[in-house]
Amino acid sequence: MNKLKKLAFLVTFLYLLNVLLPFCIFAQGWVTLYEEKEQTPVAKGVIYEKRTVFTSQGFKKIHILTVDLTSPYIDIVSLYNKENLSERKPLSDLVKSNNAVAGINGDFFSMTNPSSAIGVQINEGKLLSSPSNRTDMSAFAMTFDKIPLIMNFSFEGKITLKDGTVFPVASVNKIGDPAGKVMLYNTFFGKETYKLPPEKGEALFLIIKDGIIENFFFGKSSTIDEGRLVIAVGQDLAAQIYPKISQGDSINIQLKFIPDISNIKTAVGGGAVLVDNGKIPENFSHNINGVHPRTAIGFTKDKTKLLMVAVDGRQEESDGVTQEELANLMLNLGAYFALNLDGGGSSTMVGRPLGEENIKVLNNPSEKKERPIVNGIGIVNKAPLGKIAGLIIKSPSLTVAKNSRLVLDVKAYDEYFNPIAVDQNRVQWSISKGAGKFDKNTFFAQKEGDAVITAKYGNVTKSINIKIIEPVKIIKTGSEFFGIDKNGVPSYIHPEDINKFNIPVEETSDFKGLDFSSPERKDAENKKISDADFAILSGIAENKLSDAEYKEVLTKTLDIIKKLKADYIITLDDTGSLEELNQIIPKNYLSNLKGFGKGYQSFSDKDNLFIFLRAEKGGINATDYNQWVSFLKDLSSAAKYKKVFVFLNTPLEKFNDSLEAELFKKLLTQLAQKNVKVHVISKDEKFYVFKENSVKFIGIPSIGNPAPAVVLFDIHSSFPNYSVVPVIKDIENKTLYVKKGILSEIRLEGISYYQSKLSINYPYNYDIALSFNKKYTFDREHLSINAQEKGNLTLKVTAAFLQKTFTIPVVDFSISLNGKDLFSPDAIPYLNKKGSAMVPLRLISENLGAKVEWDSKKKEVSIFKGNKTITLKVANKYAEMVGKRVYVPLRYVAENLGAKVTWDDKTRTAVINY
């Protein structure tokens, strides 16, 4: 339930900035529409920032580590597997083993294991891996003076045998076939050299100690012992070298680097230069085409700030960026020099969250987990452990249900942002406004409303704002429980508290606020309106006017609007050329017809703001991203209005980008929190209304829908009231009878012009008047009646200015035959003076497969079934004459015809099974 967690759970970042950006081009064709920033310190001089950027191309998740290189406590190191350079490890493991507090992935590498980086690697001035000598791939470096550099490294190496023969060195600590090469290995590489595959021949291995050949042999690999250097030589060169060497011979090894690396403390290889002297190269020396996850490193012009950047990709939350876009991003972040690092599944950023001891993955790797890599670039915090400078309160949520609890935890950090251990038993807790009570670190919520929780540890305090709500609905997702209040706001419920609520638990995998679409939960703002401000229509289409039924529905709809005195019509359709509609829509409405034009539209009416957003191509952004620019601009000043109505021609559920839909709802929630009444009204297939985080969502079906309706609003009261009027041509009563003394539901159906049926009940607006000259109770809201005596009640129903009157009998009991209701309106069963259930002769007999004969002279009835005959005489104890109908005892006749009869006293039902 990720959405609920985002809504209800605590964000632990210290700073949260919502940034409304102006219309601006970002990178190659991007238009940045909206941006959110979350920042937290990792160490003194190191800030982690997460940016969620909504662009014309979708969402981008960007992670940034900004490092102050002037800080005396910060060091930049090359991350590697200290036990075995050739064994790939997840970045978090490399950061831990190198005593770093944060880092990013580094060089491109072979996906094999063992593996090696393509480029150079230097740590603490020691060469771990030689440069590749490729001119298209550069490296990041840091001098002993903490000056960052981006440069191309190359090297030349040679070995000189005792007889003076010279052979070039191809690499240091790289994997690969040494055929035609001389390859050097030391203990940084691991305990064994690269092992040649079975199909390859053997290589010559020379074991060197202190410049002397200690041993040499042919084989697939060699161990690398402490203090030794191993030279691997391919077979072709081995034939030249082997005859010239002997155990104990001296051997000279020379390596020359360009530029000189004597002042290089740290270096890690990478790819192309992205930014050089404040400019993006016209052509990248090394380019990986396409949109992917990316990692880069850069620094400012004055070389005092280092920027480590990872961009998530290959996922719904962020598709990634091209290399060109990455270069633009680095430039916009302030990089004067920047280098592309390995990307794709390798793109990873890790760091130590404030107050925490353990390293955590900060970005979202595309493979859903860390890919093992060969190296990275790390940040080391050398600051001493200081005194407590701040606290962090950890809570499962900032919104909690009344009568539930929050189990809290406190983390601490010093002035250098090092974590400090906290004795939880010494933390002093308090709550404002008497909103609840504490038992140690557990808060029990007791009073609805806003409150402040404060933790004190020594002389340091920290407070968080919480909201306590009264749930009216409880949902469960997985093992977690959430309460939903009357405004559709979710709240945390501790599992141990679930039995404190006398509310059914609904299991669901999706959260859609609080539903007000059915009679089970009614919206108080849905009520009868006699004088509307505006009407909302959906489905006005000229190409349907040739359909007689559609035209009749439209005419009827306009008649309803006119009778309810609406000032103008808002349509959830295009308002382009309406030549034929001119003949149908009254002129006063045609001139004030509001709807969707070619792009974004908005207008205000006193304290009300109306916004129209097109989304027919699968979202607002996909339809026209310029709408977002105008929408955000209007939202920035929308708090001055009392009510805001947003109209969509496509419902949010049909947005292709669910994150766009979530952002849309989030922004409107923020507006609703400023005491603005916010309504989102969408064109949809059926009517619905639900409230989510104080925003009301209403779906309105097309008048071409089988169950058409028109919605009218009165917006000049403190709460905007609305009325849903069905467009119907007839009303039918589906209530055959009401049982005496039993609460019964009255069922009414409207018949649309398309012959479809809809319930005349909430959410539709209707009037109902009931008359009965005997004792009864009537619940109009739930359309239920309890009549205490037999008789006929009269029901007068008015809906859509259509009025019908129905007569409904009140009966002693009902009959169920094999699970089906057995009833005839002109032959109603009754209980006689003796309490016997009397039923019409033909009704019971013929439905049990018997034939009936009536002898009027003898006043005698005969019932025949198979070889069995039942004869009853009227006026004896078995038969009674009511008007012109003969009634017989239900049990006597049914059982004699082979049926089983039982009586359900609770529902006053005679149950016959046959």
Side-chain angles (χ1 to χ4, degrees):
M1 199 74 149
N2 293 332
K3 178 162 57 170
L4 274 173
K5 290 181 179 179
K6 290 177 184 176
L7 292 170
F9 286 13
L10 171 64
V11 177
T12 57
F13 295 101
L14 289 187
Y15 313 104
L16 176 60
L17 306 174
N18 292 335
V19 182
L20 180 62
L21 295 175
F23 180 89
C24 61
I25 302 295
F26 182 89
Q28 302 257 326
W30 278 15
V31 176
T32 300
L33 304 171
Y34 177 83
E35 187 173 27
E36 288 181 358
K37 299 180 182 180
E38 300 170 355
Q39 293 181 342
T40 186
V42 177
K44 188 75 171 180
V46 181
I47 296 289
Y48 165 65
E49 181 179 301
K50 176 183 175 181
R51 294 189 182 185
T52 301
V53 185
F54 181 46
T55 78
S56 56
Q57 296 179 3
F59 281 84
K60 314 287 181 183
K61 291 285 182 71
I62 302 168
H63 307 265
I64 307 161
L65 285 166
T66 303
V67 184
D68 180 4
L69 294 176
T70 65
S71 171
Y73 304 114
I74 298 301
D75 200 6
I76 304 300
V77 299
S78 171
L79 303 173
Y80 65 101
N81 184 348
K82 290 188 174 182
E83 295 181 358
N84 187 344
L85 183 69
S86 63
E87 182 185 358
R88 295 189 289 134
K89 289 282 188 180
L91 177 62
S92 55
D93 288 353
L94 298 181
V95 167
K96 292 174 191 174
S97 63
N98 286 270
N99 297 316
V101 294
I104 55 171
N105 64 288
D107 199 358
F108 298 83
F109 59 92
S110 168
M111 288 292 289
T112 59
N113 213 1
S115 179
S116 61
I118 291 178
V120 66
Q121 186 167 11
I122 298 171
N123 190 61
E124 295 297 331
K126 297 178 181 178
L127 179 69
L128 305 183
S129 179
S130 60
S132 65
N133 287 346
R134 287 178 56 167
T135 59
D136 62 333
M137 301 181 78
S138 299
F140 168 78
M142 184 75 72
T143 70
F144 283 95
D145 302 322
K146 288 177 72 172
I147 304 299
L149 302 167
I150 292 175
M151 56 178 55
N152 282 85
F153 287 95
S154 63
F155 93 109
E156 298 174 356
K158 62 182 180 179
I159 61 171
T160 305
L161 303 182
K162 185 178 180 180
D163 67 355
T165 308
V166 176
F167 294 91
V169 174
S171 63
V172 178
N173 288 336
K174 302 286 188 183
I175 64 169
D177 185 355
K181 303 175 185 176
V182 174
M183 302 175 72
L184 304 186
Y185 294 95
N186 58 23
T187 51
F188 284 122
F189 187 78
K191 295 180 179 180
E192 184 182 21
T193 65
Y194 174 72
K195 189 173 184 178
L196 293 169
E199 66 272 13
K200 297 289 184 180
E202 294 183 334
L204 174 63
F205 292 93
L206 286 68
I207 312 303
I208 312 299
K209 181 182 180 182
D210 299 329
I212 302 298
I213 301 175
E214 188 177 68
N215 190 16
F216 59 93
F217 59 88
F218 284 94
K220 293 286 189 180
S221 66
S222 171
T223 59
I224 309 173
D225 297 326
E226 193 66 35
R228 271 73 173 175
L229 181 72
V230 177
I231 300 175
V233 183
Q235 283 187 334
D236 46 356
L237 289 182
Q240 302 177 44
I241 293 176
Y242 184 76
K244 297 176 180 289
I245 58 174
S246 299
Q247 195 171 1
D249 283 356
S250 63
I251 187 168
N252 182 260
I253 302 172
Q254 290 182 318
L255 300 177
K256 180 182 178 182
F257 292 87
I258 301 172
D260 178 37
I261 64 170
S262 59
N263 192 38
I264 300 298
K265 181 181 181 182
T266 299
V268 173
V273 173
L274 299 174
V275 182
D276 187 23
N277 283 304
K279 295 182 180 180
I280 298 172
E282 290 186 11
N283 296 295
F284 294 120
S285 59
H286 174 261
N287 197 351
I288 299 175
N289 294 321
V291 175
H292 303 287
R294 303 276 182 171
T295 306
I297 191 166
F299 46 89
T300 56
K301 185 177 183 179
D302 60 7
K303 300 187 177 183
T304 61
K305 283 188 179 179
L306 189 66
L307 298 167
M308 298 180 175
V309 176
V311 181
D312 292 341
R314 299 174 185 167
Q315 50 198 284
E316 182 184 6
E317 292 83 2
S318 179
D319 59 351
V321 293
T322 64
Q323 190 162 300
E324 291 80 3
E325 291 167 345
L326 181 65
N328 274 278
L329 171 63
M330 296 302 291
L331 190 65
N332 284 327
L333 290 175
Y336 203 70
F337 300 90
L339 176 71
N340 185 43
L341 299 174
D342 190 17
S346 300
S347 284
T348 314
M349 178 181 287
V350 304
R352 185 181 68 189
L354 187 62
E356 302 283 351
E357 292 282 352
N358 297 323
I359 297 297
K360 175 186 175 183
V361 179
L362 300 177
N363 75 321
N364 294 307
S366 63
E367 296 172 358
K368 307 303 180 186
K369 62 180 181 180
E370 292 183 78
R371 173 189 285 178
I373 56 178
V374 293
N375 63 24
I377 303 170
I379 304 167
V380 174
N381 181 18
K382 299 184 295 183
L385 194 63
K387 296 180 180 180
I388 291 180
L391 304 176
I392 300 171
I393 299 176
K394 296 284 187 176
S395 173
S397 175
L398 292 178
T399 306
V400 62
K402 179 183 174 184
N403 296 322
S404 190
R405 74 189 76 180
L406 294 173
V407 180
L408 305 168
D409 189 25
V410 168
K411 303 291 184 180
Y413 54 90
D414 67 8
E415 62 265 41
Y416 305 109
F417 302 111
N418 292 310
I420 300 288
V422 174
D423 181 353
Q424 300 295 329
N425 293 322
R426 291 177 51 209
V427 179
Q428 299 176 35
W429 296 96
S430 62
I431 180 71
S432 69
K433 302 179 181 179
K437 65 179 181 179
F438 270 98
D439 181 6
K440 297 181 180 178
N441 66 326
T442 302
F443 170 67
F444 295 89
Q446 296 176 326
K447 190 166 67 175
E448 193 175 2
D450 296 326
V452 178
I453 287 177
T454 300
K456 184 177 181 183
Y457 190 70
N459 295 322
V460 182
T461 61
K462 175 65 178 178
S463 296
I464 58 171
N465 297 318
I466 67 164
K467 181 181 287 292
I468 303 170
I469 70 168
E470 181 84 53
V472 297
K473 177 181 176 180
I474 294 177
I475 62 174
K476 181 183 180 184
T477 171
S479 60
E480 297 177 316
F481 296 91
F482 298 91
I484 313 298
D485 78 350
K486 62 184 179 181
N487 290 313
V489 177
S491 61
Y492 172 80
I493 296 179
H494 193 281
E496 293 182 23
D497 298 324
I498 195 64
N499 293 327
K500 295 179 181 179
F501 300 91
N502 188 26
I503 302 174
V505 177
E506 176 187 328
E507 292 202 34
T508 180
S509 59
D510 188 29
F511 168 68
K512 196 177 178 181
L514 199 63
D515 189 9
F516 292 95
S517 304
S518 63
E520 285 74 28
R521 181 176 286 110
K522 297 184 177 181
D523 185 4
E525 295 175 12
N526 182 354
K527 57 180 62 176
K528 182 179 179 181
I529 293 175
S530 58
D531 190 354
D533 291 304
F534 63 86
I536 302 178
L537 279 182
S538 172
I540 293 182
E542 290 201 345
N543 61 353
K544 289 188 176 182
L545 288 177
S546 58
D547 185 334
E549 290 176 337
Y550 175 86
K551 192 171 183 178
E552 193 172 8
V553 170
L554 178 58
T555 303
K556 176 67 175 178
T557 302
L558 293 170
D559 183 52
I560 293 171
I561 293 171
K562 182 180 179 181
K563 288 180 178 179
L564 289 173
K565 306 172 187 177
D567 295 332
Y568 52 88
I569 298 174
I570 291 177
T571 174
L572 303 180
D573 309 283
D574 291 345
T575 53
S577 175
L578 301 173
E579 294 180 7
E580 292 185 50
L581 287 171
N582 289 344
Q583 309 302 317
I584 300 173
I585 300 177
K587 291 183 178 180
N588 61 315
Y589 286 135
L590 196 62
S591 60
N592 285 314
L593 191 66
K594 311 289 185 181
F596 291 89
K598 292 183 178 180
Y600 179 87
Q601 293 184 84
S602 67
F603 70 93
S604 60
D605 178 4
K606 298 180 181 177
D607 295 331
N608 308 288
L609 175 63
F610 298 84
I611 293 171
F612 294 82
L613 288 163
R614 303 188 68 109
E616 66 270 17
K617 294 182 180 179
I620 302 166
N621 198 14
T623 303
D624 181 1
Y625 70 80
N626 291 290
Q627 294 181 103
W628 268 103
V629 178
S630 301
F631 180 48
L632 290 167
K633 183 179 179 181
D634 276 345
L635 283 185
S636 66
S637 59
K640 66 185 179 181
Y641 296 99
K642 291 183 178 179
K643 306 175 195 73
V644 172
F645 296 87
V646 181
F647 301 96
L648 292 170
N649 66 349
T650 301
L652 291 174
E653 289 72 18
K654 293 187 178 180
F655 278 34
N656 295 330
D657 188 344
S658 62
L659 292 178
E660 180 186 20
E662 289 305 311
L663 175 61
F664 175 82
K665 290 194 284 188
K666 179 179 179 178
L667 294 172
L668 292 179
T669 295
Q670 292 172 354
L671 181 60
Q673 290 170 346
K674 298 174 182 178
N675 295 318
V676 178
K677 305 298 179 185
V678 181
H679 289 67
V680 178
I681 301 170
S682 305
K683 183 178 184 178
D684 214 328
E685 296 173 0
K686 64 178 182 179
F687 176 83
Y688 60 78
V689 55
F690 67 90
K691 209 167 187 181
E692 183 177 326
N693 285 293
S694 301
V695 178
K696 185 169 289 185
F697 295 85
I698 300 176
I700 299 180
S702 164
I703 57 173
N705 185 280
V710 59
V711 180
L712 297 106
F713 270 84
D714 172 11
I715 60 174
H716 290 109
S717 55
S718 57
F719 287 90
N721 297 317
Y722 65 95
S723 181
V724 186
V725 181
V727 183
I728 55 177
K729 67 176 183 179
D730 197 8
I731 300 172
E732 292 182 354
N733 171 40
K734 295 298 179 180
T735 307
L736 298 177
Y737 55 82
V738 169
K739 284 186 271 189
K740 182 181 75 173
I742 299 291
L743 187 66
S744 303
E745 179 187 359
I746 294 174
R747 294 187 301 110
L748 302 166
E749 284 186 349
I751 309 301
S752 80
Y753 288 85
Y754 305 108
Q755 302 305 312
S756 60
K757 298 179 180 181
L758 61 152
S759 175
I760 300 298
N761 201 338
Y762 179 91
Y764 299 111
N765 182 265
Y766 62 93
D767 279 324
I768 188 166
L770 185 146
S771 61
F772 189 48
N773 59 3
K774 298 179 181 180
K775 188 177 180 181
Y776 72 97
T777 59
F778 179 53
D779 183 349
R780 187 189 183 284
E781 184 176 351
H782 297 95
L783 280 183
S784 58
I785 185 170
N786 191 335
Q788 302 301 314
E789 299 179 52
K790 291 194 301 178
N792 289 313
L793 60 86
T794 302
L795 201 64
K796 185 181 290 185
V797 184
T798 304
F801 299 99
L802 179 67
Q803 190 175 94
K804 293 291 289 286
T805 301
F806 305 101
T807 299
I808 301 175
V810 179
V811 302
D812 280 326
F813 66 96
S814 64
I815 304 169
S816 172
L817 175 60
N818 294 335
K820 294 184 178 180
D821 204 4
L822 187 60
F823 180 79
S824 175
D826 55 353
I828 296 173
Y830 64 91
L831 295 176
N832 65 14
K833 293 179 181 180
K834 297 177 182 180
S836 298
M838 305 299 289
V839 295
L841 169 65
R842 291 189 182 276
L843 181 70
I844 186 65
S845 302
E846 293 177 354
N847 275 284
L848 289 175
K851 293 182 179 179
V852 176
E853 287 185 3
W854 166 248
D855 188 331
S856 59
K857 292 181 179 181
K858 295 182 180 180
K859 293 191 179 297
E860 189 176 84
V861 64
S862 298
I863 305 170
F864 305 96
K865 185 176 181 185
N867 296 324
K868 193 165 193 176
T869 301
I870 304 172
T871 302
L872 300 173
K873 196 170 183 65
V874 173
N876 69 9
K877 63 178 181 178
Y878 292 112
E880 296 176 0
M881 181 71 77
V882 178
K884 294 182 179 182
R885 292 189 182 276
V886 177
Y887 281 72
V888 295
L890 182 149
R891 184 182 294 275
Y892 177 82
V893 172
E895 289 181 348
N896 274 283
L897 291 176
K900 182 180 178 181
V901 180
T902 58
W903 175 259
D904 186 340
D905 193 54
K906 186 177 180 180
T907 63
R908 297 183 67 81
T909 304
V911 180
I912 304 173
N913 288 298
Y914 169 70

